[in-house]
Amino acid sequence: MSRRDLLVGGGAAAAASMATYLGVSLLPLQAQAQDFGAPSVVQVGYRKQKVGDFEVIALNDGVVRRALQAEFVRNAPLAEVQELLRSQNLPTEYVDVPYTAFLIVAGGRRVLIDTGFADNGPPTTGRLVGNLNAAGFKVEDIDTVVISHHHGDHINGLRNKAGQLVFPKAKIMVPAVEHAFWMDDAKMEAAPASAKGAFQNVRRVFGGLGPDQLVPFQAGQELLPGIRTDAAYGHTPGMVTVTAQSRGQKFMYLADLTNVPQLFARNPDWAVVFDMNPEEARQTRRRVFEAVVKDKTLAGGFHFPFPAFGRIEALGQGYDFKPVA
């Protein structure tokens, strides 16, 4: 499914899956896997790591268990996908997809990258604020929220079901290319019915925010001293990575560069159903992983197994994620 397929009427089944993933309705995913039991939720859902003078804190928002079906990896046979899982002693009937945002503490600044679901998602999500509190911070402490892209699991945590802002004092920074895409009324009208909810959800989350609260930025821009973004297009039209650098040490937030790394880091040419432009996403994944490995950069991913950050190492024709101890 190309980006054009998704938005002008083709690939209806994949579009329906996309709409579900975007946070419009994740409950069907939970239901698909109910026969496999509930996913395990981490008991201590935060982890702190020093990066020079900065502190990076992983904040788990929860996990969703979904049945592993053929469309999850769009360009590989299900049997091959299951074999790779089996080789890592992982279940082959379902996948657990975790959600972890990151807080960067930089001097007096508190910068949250992505937001999870708040109370808008399945019952095994919505844990970010509790883990933020456990890590020693309150929602009022967050002065900046940086959004990597506009999929629902990354933006829904900005507002609760009642429509209230979860981080009331935060400036919300969004990638300009990404924001323009999802706020384009013509694109929303051209989208299949199953995908329109994703566009409407973006309007629900960001609607009513004034220019003092909502700040678009260009990929490649330094947002704050030591914190910059870079283009990582493909998963969505305008997704970015976020890099924090202090005293010669670096941390890179990879967002959804790869979904479950046990599959898509080890096979970076595989396309998850949620990549809107699979070929562009594949090229971006290879380019960024190569740079991360070369520079030995500490890396974190939204869907990486908790603690969700560690090192990326070359492995065969792909890569392996080694979480911090």
Side-chain angles (χ1 to χ4, degrees):
M1 180 183 63
S2 70
R3 188 186 308 165
R4 182 180 185 279
D5 290 334
L6 174 65
L7 295 174
V8 298
S17 181
M18 172 69 76
T20 300
Y21 172 75
L22 292 174
V24 178
S25 172
L26 268 167
L27 293 176
L29 298 189
Q30 193 82 354
Q32 285 179 5
Q34 62 184 355
D35 293 340
F36 302 121
S40 298
V41 176
V42 293
Q43 297 304 304
V44 179
Y46 71 91
R47 178 71 67 89
K48 300 182 178 183
Q49 183 80 19
K50 292 292 290 182
V51 177
D53 291 333
F54 294 170
E55 186 172 51
V56 178
I57 306 174
L59 298 168
N60 182 251
D61 191 56
V63 60
V64 165
R65 177 165 292 177
R66 60 170 292 150
L68 180 61
Q69 298 174 333
E71 73 274 7
F72 188 66
V73 183
R74 301 212 315 259
N75 59 343
L78 179 59
E80 187 175 340
V81 175
Q82 291 175 318
E83 180 55 36
L84 180 57
L85 291 170
R86 189 177 296 110
S87 71
Q88 299 171 76
N89 296 314
L90 294 172
T92 59
E93 301 88 3
Y94 62 83
V95 289
D96 285 344
V97 181
Y99 306 88
T100 300
F102 288 84
L103 176 65
I104 300 174
V105 180
R109 305 301 300 266
R110 309 289 186 265
V111 181
L112 180 66
I113 311 174
D114 288 337
T115 66
F117 290 99
D119 59 353
N120 301 289
T124 51
T125 64
R127 288 163 165 73
L128 187 150
V129 170
N131 287 322
L132 178 71
N133 295 339
F137 299 90
K138 304 184 296 295
V139 292
E140 294 83 3
D141 296 331
I142 306 302
D143 58 76
T144 306
V145 174
V146 178
I147 297 297
S148 67
H149 65 292
H150 283 9
H151 281 174
D153 50 341
H154 296 256
I155 66 173
N156 281 354
L158 285 170
R159 288 190 190 272
N160 59 24
K161 282 183 180 178
Q164 300 164 320
L165 290 173
V166 174
F167 307 100
K169 297 183 178 180
K171 179 183 297 184
I172 300 165
M173 306 189 74
V174 297
V177 171
E178 180 81 357
H179 194 69
F181 176 86
W182 292 104
M183 293 299 288
D184 187 318
D185 289 340
K187 287 184 171 61
M188 181 170 68
E189 289 304 313
S194 56
K196 279 183 168 60
F199 289 86
Q200 294 162 355
N201 187 57
V202 169
R203 286 156 175 75
R204 179 193 73 84
V205 171
F206 296 112
L209 296 177
D212 57 329
Q213 290 178 292
L214 185 66
V215 180
F217 62 84
Q218 298 296 330
Q221 179 179 339
E222 186 175 55
L223 306 183
L224 296 166
I227 301 175
R228 77 165 199 273
T229 65
D230 291 288
Y233 303 161
H235 179 65
T236 64
M239 190 180 81
V240 297
T241 59
V242 182
T243 300
Q245 184 167 2
S246 173
R247 294 189 178 273
Q249 298 182 24
K250 285 198 300 186
F251 164 76
M252 180 182 285
Y253 173 64
L254 303 177
D256 284 8
L257 184 80
T258 177
N259 200 277
V260 180
Q262 297 95 328
L263 294 175
F264 300 100
R266 293 198 174 209
N267 278 282
D269 297 327
W270 282 1
V272 70
V273 65
F274 313 124
D275 284 344
M276 293 175 66
N277 185 326
E279 177 56 23
E280 187 176 28
R282 184 191 70 79
Q283 294 177 16
T284 297
R285 194 157 38 246
R286 287 245 175 226
R287 172 178 57 80
V288 175
F289 273 149
E290 183 178 346
V292 167
V293 169
K294 180 180 178 181
D295 294 344
K296 296 181 172 60
T297 302
L298 181 70
F302 192 67
H303 298 298
F304 285 16
F306 198 76
F309 53 5
R311 303 291 174 180
I312 306 294
E313 299 178 357
L315 179 67
Q317 298 300 308
Y319 304 91
D320 191 26
F321 169 62
K322 300 289 188 182
V324 294

